Amino acid sequence: MQEVDVLVVGAGQAGVQVVSALRSGDFAGSIGLVTDQTSAPYELPPLSKDYLKGERPFRRMMLRSPAFWTQHDIALRRGKAVTSIDPDAHCVGLTDGTSIGYGRLVWAAGGYPRNLTCSGADLLGVHPVRTRRDVLSLRRDFERAAHVAVIGGGYIGLEVAAAANQAGKSVVIIEALGRVLSRVAGETLSRFYEAEHRARGVEIRTGARVSHLVGEEGRVRGVALGDGHVVKADVVVVGIGIDPAVGPLLAAGAKGGNGVEVDEFCRTSLPDIFAAGDVAAHVNRFAGDRVVRLESVQNANDQANVVARTILGDPKPYEATPWFWSNQYDLKLQTVGLSTDHDEAIIRGDPLSRSFSIAYFKNDRIVAFDCVNAMRDYAQGRGLLLRRGLDRSRLADPGIPLKEL
Amino acid sequence: MPTIHVTDRKGEERTLQSSDGNSIMQVIRESGFGDIAAICAGVCSCSTCHIYVDPAFIDSLPPMSGDEDDLLDITGTRLENSRLACQIKFVDALDGLRVTVAPED
């Protein structure tokens, strides 16, 4: 059986950053990186944006150059998934029947896109957007599609809708809740993005339940809603979230449920097993010390650095400021902090000017900013997070720089 | 083909070449040298491709956008010659450019 000092499972942002930070920190042991994907490790954010539009070649999405893996002596094994973990024996089993022994295991396997459970979910032309393969297949269908239905009004759904609209498709967004972005932003931001999409001809149906997908000769032709209406569609994009890929970890006895629980050093409840990125359920001080999973590049990258430092013997707890971005049309959204469960929102500037920001509070503590075409508020708002007792009228005045509050 | 001299965080220097109008961030990242994170994939939405540019070249660089300026302010390590590497196209006029990868925050 092959053995490595550190075995990393998953070659997304978190997995690649762990191995990269270990080598930057002069880790001299052997490192293995296993991914179920066949492509060289790549960035996910362009998938729903410029890669979908065909404006970015794959080689400009690669997380590291092809030379990196040999230069840094990292054994990259592609196209193999880990199916079992034996925490006592310190080894994992792979899909091809082989095993790898580890000194430390880092679980950064990301998540699987949720699929629809209704009838028609397996028709041709129905696509998730999570991997390069998903998007290559979506792009092929896009070429001959006129009508695109996007199920789910989260960031992925909105970004795909923007790309499809820009490619001249007729686009309908179908959202189950009362507004888009309802899980991740306040109502003002939701209504702003709904208006922006509608102004470009995108139809948005909120509060709409999907009944089933309508097909013809095995290929999707429409989305039937609960009220009987059928949304015409040659392509259906499903953006209704991910399920964290933690099956083997939980089966091995790690604590968790929605993800795997980690402490402030990204250690799971199993010895010598760490987790980082989308899978890691952690206590986050920006969420009022609640346990959260964050599906973001920032979280993946910063937790990976925490794992690497712990392995390098220089541990530092995870306390990074959450941030996030989403680009749609000419709108650049930057978010800092976590607005979930906020109880107050203050708007800075006029949304009609298409440059504004929203400050979110929870129990008088400022917890997040959503900034649309307002990079300065994003940069300066970061320093105000978790402060109490801010003067709301000064905060609402875009003429006063946030750093002067 | 224009060349660029890159110094990484450990003080090691490497000379890189590129001809196809990549950004400096892409030139560095595709070389596998320098360990530049660039986690927003080069869309000027973060500050993880922060570099210091040889002052002799400052005037040959494209002007800084307001967004780049604001993002550089987030880093705790901004200097007069700080730039985001994703915002500088590597063109012939920059042949011989010297840059240093800024420390991580």
Side-chain angles (χ1 to χ4, degrees), chain A residues 56 206 235 284 311 340:
Chain A
R56 182 189 289 255
T206 54
V235 167
N284 195 299
I311 292 175
T340 335

Side-chain angles (χ1 to χ4, degrees), chain B residues 4-72:
Chain B
I4 179 173
H5 309 286
V6 180
T7 304
D8 72 7
R9 297 196 181 96
K10 291 174 184 161
E12 236 179 275
E13 198 188 283
R14 185 84 61 93
T15 299
L16 308 175
Q17 287 195 316
S18 178
S19 61
D20 64 355
N22 273 351
S23 71
I24 287 179
M25 180 279 278
Q26 283 158 341
V27 176
I28 297 175
R29 204 167 70 162
E30 286 172 18
S31 75
F33 173 77
D35 196 22
I36 202 158
I39 66 178
C40 82
V43 297
C44 199
S45 288
C46 72
S47 41
T48 59
C49 67
H50 179 193
I51 53 169
Y52 302 122
V53 180
D54 180 345
F57 284 85
I58 285 280
D59 294 335
S60 326
L61 300 178
M64 193 184 288
S65 70
D67 281 3
E68 182 183 351
D69 195 8
D70 293 331
L71 285 169
L72 281 166

Side-chain angles (χ1 to χ4, degrees), chain A residues 16-30:
Chain A
V16 169
Q17 183 59 27
V18 168
V19 303
S20 191
L22 283 173
R23 286 300 185 226
S24 297
D26 295 326
F27 182 76
S30 55

Side-chain angles (χ1 to χ4, degrees), chain A residues 84-365:
Chain A
S84 63
I85 303 168
D86 184 336
D88 297 325
H90 276 52
C91 80
V92 302
L94 305 182
T95 29
D96 62 2
T98 60
S99 301
I100 305 178
Y102 62 83
R104 268 107 161 204
L105 177 66
V106 183
W107 194 263
Y112 304 112
R114 281 187 206 122
N115 200 357
L116 299 169
T117 51
C118 62
S119 76
D122 54 354
L123 287 165
L124 291 173
V126 181
H127 298 272
V129 180
R130 176 69 183 183
T131 64
R132 180 193 185 199
R133 179 177 292 195
D134 292 340
V135 175
L136 282 175
S137 141
L138 171 59
R139 268 167 39 168
R140 279 191 294 273
D141 275 357
F142 245 42
E143 281 171 23
R144 47 174 184 259
H147 299 275
V148 176
V150 176
I151 300 178
Y155 283 119
I156 294 283
L158 294 189
E159 288 171 358
V160 169
N165 172 269
Q166 287 172 320
K169 317 290 181 196
S170 145
V171 183
V172 181
I173 298 170
I174 299 163
E175 165 58 48
L177 298 175
R179 57 183 172 91
V180 301
L181 302 178
S182 57
R183 274 191 325 123
V184 289
E187 181 160 5
T188 302
L189 196 80
S190 299
R191 299 303 180 207
F192 172 78
Y193 274 96
E194 288 172 2
E196 285 288 333
H197 279 272
R198 284 181 171 134
R200 288 169 174 83
V202 173
E203 185 184 338
I204 301 177
R205 288 175 167 265
T206 54
R209 190 178 65 82
V210 173
S211 159
H212 59 280
L213 302 191
V214 181
E216 214 178 271
E217 292 171 8
R219 183 162 273 282
V220 76
R221 284 288 169 254
V223 181
L225 303 181
D227 63 4
H229 181 83
V230 177
V231 174
K232 195 176 173 187
D234 319 307
V235 167
V236 172
V237 177
V238 182
I240 53 173
I242 62 160
D243 290 318
V246 290
L249 261 186
L250 300 187
K255 273 195 202 161
N258 175 17
V260 60
E261 284 177 26
V262 295
D263 68 8
E264 69 269 42
F265 300 107
C266 292
R267 295 178 295 207
T268 69
S269 61
L270 295 174
D272 298 319
I273 302 182
F274 299 79
D278 293 357
V279 295
H282 64 280
V283 171
N284 195 299
R285 67 193 184 107
F286 291 91
D289 288 333
R290 280 182 306 114
V291 174
V292 294
R293 279 194 312 107
L294 298 179
E295 296 164 7
S296 73
V297 171
Q298 170 277 320
N299 179 64
N301 191 66
D302 291 337
Q303 286 189 329
N305 286 329
V306 167
V307 170
R309 285 187 72 138
T310 307
I311 292 175
L312 289 164
D314 179 25
K316 202 168 166 257
Y318 182 61
E319 47 189 26
T321 306
W323 62 267
F324 181 82
W325 79 93
S326 173
N327 295 334
Q328 299 164 44
Y329 308 112
D330 57 344
L331 301 167
K332 204 161 167 171
L333 170 72
Q334 304 267 138
T335 292
V336 62
L338 298 172
S339 64
T340 335
D341 292 339
H342 66 273
D343 51 28
E344 184 187 353
I346 302 280
I347 301 164
R348 261 173 80 78
D350 182 1
L352 289 176
S353 74
R354 309 179 78 246
S355 168
F356 66 101
S357 51
I358 304 168
Y360 297 97
F361 290 83
K362 167 92 175 165
N363 299 329
D364 191 36
R365 199 190 276 274

